[in-house]
Amino acid sequence: MNSLEITNRIMRSNKLFAKKCFGQNFLVDDNILLGIVENSNVEAGDLVIEIGPGLGNLTEYILQTGAQVLAFEIDTDMIEILNGRFTSHSNLTIVNMDILKVNLEEYIKDVKGKVRVIANLPYYITTPIIFKLLEYKENIASITVMVQKEVADRIASKPGSKEYGVLTINTNYQADVEKIFVVPNTSFIPAPNVTSAVIKITPNKAKEQELGIKDGKIFEELVKKAFSERRKKLANSLANCGLCGLTKPEIEEIIKNVGLKETVRAEEVSVETYAKIANEIYELKNK
Ligand code: SAM
């Protein structure tokens, strides 16, 4: 039976409807399910964290790699189904929890192999999930996830484009991002209103070191505040937000020091230049 048939059968026999509030769009195209797992380079001995296993279509393919699978699912109805579908799999642990409330450290600190994340994400919390996972970048080898195509475009965008923003910069300064393939909405049940895409985020320590960011927290706060009013001049947005307690003249001085025009807007500034601004702020605060 293919994933489409399995999904229809499970939903019919359990009188189940996909829950919009949990972002439930079940992926039923076997080529895409396999493609996600193949692109994540999982090996037996790795720990794969799956977020939102749902009815288990993606879980089925991850389990075939021989890796240990740790799946976090918020919907109790899904837990019963998953337990029934995967009774004979000793390499699967299912946890009935909201991924945003999980202390991942507890689960990954003693893992010997690589930790990888694979998921068809619930789209309503894509950004907080990605930022949460990046907090564990020292321990996570890769994050291969289905997201809305629009989010994939934002993450992979370049300065000056309308997609370029907080998500682009705060992901790209610490990781490499690849757009792997685009997925039509017909690959899901029910079909979402948007086109999707699979992306792979690979944390990259060298990239962060090359940028020479002295304080990641200052950098991320700077970027968030810079884009809080993206149409305004950067100096005004930063001064209005009270960035790190700096005065407007101090901010204007920093903008000049890093070689930017006084009229520059947030979306015109590269990741490298944000790193320089953050370091100037760091120096000023630690004088
Ligand atoms: N993996 C399945 C698939 O590909 O068919 C389902 C993917 S569906 C897009 C998203 C899944 O995430 C649903 O099963 C949903 O219940 C679950 N989910 C939603 N919010 C969650 C949260 N905060 N924590 C964990 N799981 C969540």
Side-chain angles (χ1 to χ4, degrees), residues 7 19 21-28 33 36 50-59 72-76 78 95-102 118-125 129 146 188-189:
T7 302
K19 298 186 183 78
C21 63
F22 288 146
Q24 290 178 353
N25 297 96
F26 304 114
L27 186 54
V28 292
L33 289 159
I36 295 174
E50 187 186 3
I51 299 164
L55 302 175
N57 292 348
L58 186 54
T59 321
F72 294 98
E73 172 57 62
I74 199 170
D75 184 356
T76 317
M78 298 293 139
V95 183
N96 187 193
M97 256 186 102
D98 176 347
I99 186 64
L100 296 178
K101 297 197 176 132
V102 173
I118 301 181
N120 170 18
L121 288 180
Y123 293 169
Y124 72 106
I125 44 171
I129 291 177
M146 177 89 73
F188 302 83
I189 285 184

Side-chain angles (χ1 to χ4, degrees), residues 164-180:
Y164 184 71
V166 180
L167 185 61
T168 326
I169 300 169
N170 283 351
T171 308
N172 280 275
Y173 90 85
Q174 51 188 334
D176 297 317
V177 181
E178 266 173 273
K179 220 157 75 174
I180 301 182

Side-chain angles (χ1 to χ4, degrees), residues 13-267:
S13 61
N14 291 278
K15 297 192 173 57
L16 204 76
F17 295 94
K19 298 186 183 78
K20 232 181 174 170
C21 63
F22 288 146
Q24 290 178 353
N25 297 96
F26 304 114
L27 186 54
V28 292
D29 182 325
D30 288 286
N31 289 325
I32 295 188
L33 289 159
L34 182 61
I36 295 174
V37 176
E38 282 181 348
N39 276 287
S40 62
N41 306 102
V42 179
E43 290 176 0
D46 290 350
L47 172 73
V48 175
I49 296 177
E50 187 186 3
I51 299 164
L55 302 175
N57 292 348
L58 186 54
T59 321
E60 182 92 53
Y61 283 91
I62 305 171
L63 285 168
Q64 284 171 18
T65 64
Q68 287 295 321
V69 181
L70 173 62
F72 294 98
E73 172 57 62
I74 199 170
D75 184 356
T76 317
D77 290 345
M78 298 293 139
I79 304 295
E80 268 178 49
I81 289 162
L82 291 163
N83 283 332
R85 181 167 175 180
F86 299 112
T87 34
S88 59
H89 287 81
S90 56
N91 56 333
L92 172 65
T93 307
I94 302 163
V95 183
N96 187 193
M97 256 186 102
D98 176 347
I99 186 64
L100 296 178
K101 297 197 176 132
V102 173
N103 176 5
L104 275 180
E105 167 121 35
E106 247 175 57
Y107 293 92
I108 61 182
K109 63 177 192 295
D110 297 326
V111 175
K112 300 277 179 295
K114 292 199 164 117
V115 177
R116 300 190 185 271
V117 176
I118 301 181
N120 170 18
L121 288 180
Y123 293 169
Y124 72 106
I125 44 171
T126 301
T127 306
I129 291 177
I130 290 177
F131 284 151
K132 172 166 185 151
L133 294 173
L134 285 172
E135 281 172 28
Y136 299 90
K137 63 188 171 198
E138 305 287 332
N139 302 88
I140 293 180
S142 64
I143 303 166
T144 310
V145 285
M146 177 89 73
V147 297
Q148 275 177 249
K149 182 176 170 294
E150 180 235 315
V151 171
D153 291 341
R154 267 165 49 207
I155 293 191
S157 65
K158 298 273 171 278
S161 68
K162 67 178 190 329
E163 289 88 7
Y164 184 71
V166 180
L167 185 61
T168 326
I169 300 169
N170 283 351
T171 308
N172 280 275
Y173 90 85
Q174 51 188 334
D176 297 317
V177 181
E178 266 173 273
K179 220 157 75 174
I180 301 182
F181 48 75
V182 171
V183 182
N185 69 347
T186 47
S187 302
F188 302 83
I189 285 184
N193 295 328
V194 292
T195 302
S196 300
V198 176
I199 55 169
K200 184 168 182 186
I201 301 173
T202 309
N204 182 346
K205 216 173 180 173
K207 204 168 172 183
E208 205 173 335
Q209 279 165 352
E210 244 168 61
L211 286 170
I213 295 168
K214 294 188 175 136
D215 185 327
K217 289 238 165 348
I218 293 183
F219 178 84
E220 291 191 6
E221 187 190 345
L222 162 71
V223 174
K224 278 192 192 131
K225 293 198 163 163
F227 283 90
S228 60
E229 299 172 299
R230 65 183 290 147
R231 297 272 145 236
K232 288 208 170 145
K233 285 201 267 181
L234 180 63
N236 289 342
S237 315
L238 296 180
N240 291 349
C241 292
L243 174 72
C244 301
L246 299 183
T247 62
K248 190 160 178 214
E250 283 172 327
I251 292 169
E252 284 171 342
E253 177 74 17
I254 290 175
I255 288 181
K256 202 166 93 195
N257 288 349
V258 300
L260 290 172
K261 278 197 267 174
E262 178 261 333
T263 53
V264 75
R265 291 175 211 276
E267 65 202 34

